[in-house]
Amino acid sequence: MGFTVVLADDDEGMRLLLKKAIEKNEAFKIVGEAADGKSAALLAEKLRPNVVFLDVEMPEFSGLECAARIFDS
């Protein structure tokens, strides 16, 4: 059984780089991507991934604020 993943970064190029690196490992499946903290928190709440990669500085919510919201949900 693999791990489901959500990527969150406001830099599209960085998301693409992370996506390519993560997809090389068959144990991980990317189930969602977000360009801001608010969208990331909503995706995590909806999809319940095993892993969430968060950029620290994002619009709407920072990565730290997003992480707090995910843990509270």
Side-chain angles (χ1 to χ4, degrees):
M1 182 175 170
F3 298 98
T4 55
V5 176
V6 166
L7 298 177
D9 197 313
D10 57 325
D11 182 334
E12 187 176 350
M14 187 55 73
R15 280 197 322 272
L16 181 60
L17 217 112
L18 283 167
K19 187 175 182 176
K20 286 182 178 185
I22 292 166
E23 287 177 338
K24 288 182 179 182
N25 187 326
E26 293 178 7
F28 294 93
K29 179 182 179 186
I30 298 170
V31 294
E33 295 183 44
D36 62 72
K38 186 175 182 180
S39 298
L42 291 171
L43 269 179
E45 184 180 320
K46 178 182 176 186
L47 301 174
R48 296 296 207 199
N50 302 110
V51 180
V52 181
F53 287 92
L54 295 169
D55 181 17
V56 174
E57 295 182 16
M58 291 186 290
E60 300 291 328
F61 304 148
S62 72
L64 298 175
E65 292 170 316
C66 183
R69 289 175 185 268
I70 291 169
F71 279 115
D72 287 342
S73 66

